[in-house]
Amino acid sequence: MNQDVSTATLNLRSGGAIPQIGLGVWQMSPHVTRGAVLNALHAGYRHIDTARIYGNEAEVGAAVRESGIPREEIFVTTKLWNEDQGYESARRAFDTSLRKLGLDYVDLYLIHWPVKEKRRESWRALEKIHADGLARSIGVSNFLVNHLEELLGDAKERPEVNQIEIHPFLQQRDTRALCAKYGIVVEAYSPLVRGKRHDNPVLRRAAKRVGKTPAQVLLRWGIQHGLVIIPKSADPGRQKQNAELFDFSLDAEAMSAIDALEQGQATGWDPRDQP
């Protein structure tokens, strides 16, 4: 396998590419974020995922600037929070995020949650932000089939990315199938199930067979399903381990056994009841 964390990418419909492994910084305090992002970038990560509501955009931007890595080699994502949704408010919120990041553009801007009555106007704002060149790509987060079908019904531009919780215990197969139909890349947040299921015997057996940890098996499962994965860790050793996914693979038997773990288990926000 000749890929690694710095070179593994998935193609976006617009012609660009998104690194397949990113560092998530949700619930990472500002005083920790800058160092964690710098460590990740120096370890080869080229994709950082933040959001306005995380409160650490400024620290992410500082680390990107201080890393010494050319800006065009780092993929930065941020997101539009719920209370900022609507056309004009979304435009203002994006400007604020860009200013906090201290960057000229973001690589991906996402609607963070499918807020009823506002998500269509928010999407119009994202289309304008993209047209102005301030976001290289635009997409959504926590959008399931009903939310996507509504958006696709009247959007001028289809989302390029949908970021949703995915792991073997919550596989979102119907949403992934719709995204595949329309060329929407799927990003998996909480791919490690927030550490809750690493003692699962299926994962432990698979890990023993390949000489890896259950966490690495979870992440490799996502890679082999063609997902972008954004594990979160501020620990340099854990960041390194989470990126060591290209010197092994899971065989068909292991993938089938892990696929059979589906339980519909959401560990965080659950948009299934969001109209």
Side-chain angles (χ1 to χ4, degrees):
M1 301 181 185
N2 56 9
Q3 289 183 313
D4 61 27
V5 65
S6 66
T7 60
T9 61
L10 297 178
N11 292 329
L12 294 169
R13 197 175 56 252
S14 62
I18 181 171
Q20 198 170 7
I21 303 176
L23 177 73
V25 297
W26 177 66
Q27 288 190 330
M28 200 176 286
S29 63
H31 77 277
V32 169
T33 300
R34 178 178 161 277
V37 173
L38 277 171
N39 285 334
L41 292 172
H42 292 155
Y45 285 73
R46 291 297 180 266
H47 179 180
I48 310 298
D49 181 273
T50 185
R52 195 278 276 179
I53 196 63
Y54 299 172
N56 53 22
E57 288 172 314
E59 290 73 23
V60 167
V64 169
R65 295 191 302 274
E66 294 169 25
S67 69
I69 299 167
R71 170 67 185 93
E72 62 272 16
E73 295 182 14
I74 303 175
F75 193 100
V76 177
T77 298
T78 193
K79 310 179 192 75
L80 173 71
W81 184 237
N82 300 356
E83 66 191 36
D84 299 320
Q85 288 205 34
Y87 185 81
E88 295 296 341
S89 54
R91 296 285 303 277
R92 290 192 298 270
F94 176 81
D95 290 343
T96 299
S97 286
L98 200 62
R99 185 170 63 253
K100 287 182 177 179
L101 286 162
L103 303 175
D104 294 329
Y105 66 92
V106 298
D107 297 274
L108 178 62
Y109 194 49
L110 303 177
I111 296 177
H112 210 151
W113 184 260
V115 175
K116 189 179 181 182
E117 309 298 344
K118 290 188 176 182
R119 53 193 180 234
R120 291 185 181 184
E121 288 300 298
S122 297
W123 186 251
R124 284 205 309 116
L126 266 65
E127 289 175 329
K128 175 62 174 170
I129 290 164
H130 181 233
D132 290 343
L134 298 173
R136 299 287 175 88
S137 297
I138 54 175
V140 294
S141 181
N142 295 296
F143 274 54
L144 303 183
V145 169
N146 58 309
H147 312 122
L148 288 169
E149 288 178 338
E150 175 195 88
L151 181 62
L152 292 166
D154 59 9
K156 294 180 181 177
E157 183 177 348
R158 296 200 301 269
E160 290 206 71
V161 172
N162 184 21
Q163 183 182 117
I164 51 179
E165 181 178 354
I166 298 179
H167 44 71
F169 305 95
L170 180 67
Q171 297 181 33
Q172 311 272 24
R173 293 176 184 175
D174 55 347
T175 300
R176 285 163 51 200
L178 185 65
C179 288
K181 178 180 177 180
Y182 288 100
I184 301 169
V185 170
V186 177
E187 281 189 298
Y189 72 74
S190 297
L192 294 173
V193 207
R194 301 195 191 183
K196 294 181 178 179
R197 304 297 296 271
H198 294 198
D199 60 347
N200 179 275
V202 173
L203 298 178
R204 291 174 67 86
R205 282 196 297 271
K208 184 176 181 179
R209 286 175 63 183
V210 295
K212 294 289 183 174
T213 67
Q216 288 170 312
V217 166
L218 283 165
L219 297 176
R220 182 66 201 184
W221 174 87
I223 291 289
Q224 289 184 213
H225 272 299
L227 305 172
V228 172
I229 55 172
I230 45 173
K232 169 205 160 188
S233 179
D235 178 80
R238 188 64 57 81
Q239 288 178 355
K240 182 175 182 291
Q241 187 180 83
N242 288 346
E244 293 173 340
L245 306 178
F246 298 97
D247 58 350
F248 76 103
S249 62
L250 300 172
D251 62 21
E253 181 182 351
M255 288 293 289
S256 178
I258 297 169
D259 286 345
L261 294 176
E262 171 67 70
Q263 294 177 0
Q265 178 192 0
T267 65
W269 298 344
D270 191 346
R272 284 176 286 190
D273 294 328
Q274 182 69 20

